[in-house]
Amino acid sequence: MGLEHLLEALERDANAQIEQLLAQARAEADGLTTAMAAALAQRQGAAADARERTRLIEVEQAVTRARRAARRSVLEARERLLERVFTVARGELPAAAAGPAYRSGIPAALASALAAIGGEEAVIRCPQTLAQDLERSRPSATPPVPVVVDPAAGSGFRVASADGAIEVDDTLESRLDRLRPALARLVLARLEIEP
């Protein structure tokens, strides 16, 4: 019976070692499974965060594009409005040039324009409606500064040196063009639109 007991003892020891090894293997497997599950959850969370960041960036870009498009539409509408206002204003310039306010300023404006030309020979170009006023307002010079009727002169007059190197444009159209930025702000302010 000694041998039988020995074999039983060996078998018990072997079974105990097997059970111990199996328990260690199960514990290791459980640890690996837990670690892998945690790593997988972390990767899934990182991927979800990356997708969310990408989605937020896409949404922000879409909002920015929409704001730019809206701003562009507003600016284009304002520009169309200003074009209509200035087109109407240009249509009124011939009547304004024929009015007493403009005509009363002709002597001073002509003297200033001729001073800008200097002592050079000059020519005054104007529409027919202003020719007499300009002839009366021109200084007596030798030779006299000729007034030439030019239907294309605009609403006002232009003084040019005889060689054409210098020209002073005192038409209402050029005044309107020079004042356009300030006038545009006034128009928009009157309409309570931010410039």
Side-chain angles (χ1 to χ4, degrees):
M1 286 260 225
L3 185 59
E4 227 175 83
H5 284 300
L6 182 60
L7 284 175
E8 281 179 15
L10 285 173
E11 192 175 321
R12 272 193 311 271
D13 284 346
N15 282 337
Q17 281 182 343
I18 289 172
E19 284 300 319
Q20 185 181 11
L21 288 172
L22 280 175
Q24 287 176 348
R26 283 188 191 114
E28 258 183 66
D30 287 345
L32 287 173
T33 301
T34 303
M36 292 306 287
L40 180 62
Q42 183 180 9
R43 286 184 188 156
Q44 287 173 336
D49 289 346
R51 282 192 305 274
E52 182 65 18
R53 281 192 303 275
T54 301
R55 189 186 67 75
L56 285 174
I57 289 170
E58 289 170 353
V59 167
E60 287 172 0
Q61 289 172 343
V63 168
T64 299
R65 283 192 302 272
R67 284 183 179 150
R68 283 183 185 155
R71 182 76 174 150
R72 185 180 321 110
S73 294
V74 167
L75 292 173
E76 288 170 353
R78 286 180 187 167
E79 190 55 37
R80 285 191 304 271
L81 169 72
L82 289 172
E83 279 305 313
R84 286 195 307 262
V85 167
F86 284 102
T87 298
V88 170
R90 277 191 188 283
E92 299 295 323
L93 294 180
Y102 180 77
R103 287 178 187 257
S104 68
I106 286 177
L110 182 58
S112 177
L114 289 170
I117 298 294
E120 297 185 35
E121 290 184 29
V123 176
I124 303 168
R125 298 191 182 284
C126 67
Q128 180 66 48
T129 56
L130 296 177
Q132 287 181 353
D133 290 314
L134 287 162
E135 285 174 358
R136 282 193 300 269
S137 298
R138 71 182 169 190
S140 56
T142 308
V145 180
V147 176
V148 176
V149 173
D150 181 359
S155 302
F157 66 91
R158 298 168 195 248
V159 177
S161 60
D163 63 2
I166 303 171
E167 180 179 79
V168 177
D169 185 344
D170 195 48
T171 61
L172 293 178
E173 288 84 0
S174 70
R175 289 182 189 181
L176 183 64
D177 290 341
R178 283 191 306 270
L179 294 173
R180 183 178 174 128
L183 293 173
R185 284 192 296 276
L186 287 173
V187 168
L188 295 175
R190 286 224 172 141
L191 295 173
E192 295 182 17
I193 296 174
E194 174 188 326

